[in-house]
Amino acid sequence: VQLVESGGGSVRPGGSLRLSCAVSGYTYSSYCMGWFRQAPGQEREGVAFINSDGSISYADSVKGRFTISQDNAKNTLSLQMNSLKPEDTAMYYCVADPSALVRLRCGADLAAVNFGDWGQGTQVTVSS
C-alpha cells in the first residue's frame, strides 16, 4: 500500500488549496480513509474522513470550509480547503485502514494510532 500526498503550499489567509492523495496497492473494498494534520509541537488531529459506505465526517474546526472527496476511477482522495486560516498551518497526512474497528468509528474523533497506512505528508502554510 502506498499513499502519496501532493498539493500543499503557502497561501494567504482566506485562500484555498486542494490536497490530493494517490492511493496504490489498496485492494480492500471496505475502508476508512481521510486526512490528519500535525502542527509543530502539537498532536496529530483528525481533519476529514470518508467511509467506504459513503459517510463523511469532519472536525468541527474545518466544517463548512473543507470538503473531502474520492475518485475511485483514479484511486485518488482529495481535500479541498477553502477560507484557510493561520491555524490550519500544519503537515497534512493521508491515511487509510480497512479494519472493522476503524470503519465503525471512522471520523475525526478516532486517534491517529488506529490507522495503519500513512502517506509521507504535505506541508500547508497559511500566513500573511
Side-chain angles (χ1 to χ4, degrees):
V1 176
Q2 189 173 23
L3 307 175
V4 180
E5 303 96 334
S6 61
S10 296
V11 64
R12 295 186 183 278
S16 298
L17 283 174
R18 185 177 182 87
L19 305 184
S20 293
C21 175
V23 182
S24 60
Y26 211 78
T27 60
Y28 302 101
S29 59
S30 298
Y31 52 80
C32 173
M33 288 187 177
W35 296 88
F36 275 84
R37 66 185 180 186
Q38 187 171 25
Q42 297 187 20
E43 293 186 358
R44 290 186 178 183
E45 172 193 21
V47 177
F49 297 86
I50 188 165
N51 197 317
S52 51
D53 66 7
S55 58
I56 289 175
S57 173
Y58 296 99
D60 288 342
S61 58
V62 306
K63 281 181 181 177
R65 300 188 299 122
F66 290 13
T67 302
I68 189 172
S69 62
Q70 64 180 139
D71 185 334
N72 289 329
K74 296 181 180 180
N75 294 327
T76 301
L77 184 71
S78 299
L79 185 67
Q80 178 66 42
M81 306 186 295
N82 299 328
S83 302
L84 283 161
K85 305 176 181 180
E87 50 264 43
D88 293 318
T89 295
M91 185 71 79
Y92 283 72
Y93 298 90
C94 177
V95 298
D97 199 280
S99 67
L101 174 63
V102 174
R103 287 188 283 114
L104 184 64
R105 298 173 56 196
C106 187
D109 291 336
L110 192 57
V113 69
N114 291 287
F115 287 86
D117 299 307
W118 289 73
Q120 83 288 348
T122 186
Q123 178 67 38
V124 171
T125 302
V126 185
S127 174
S128 55

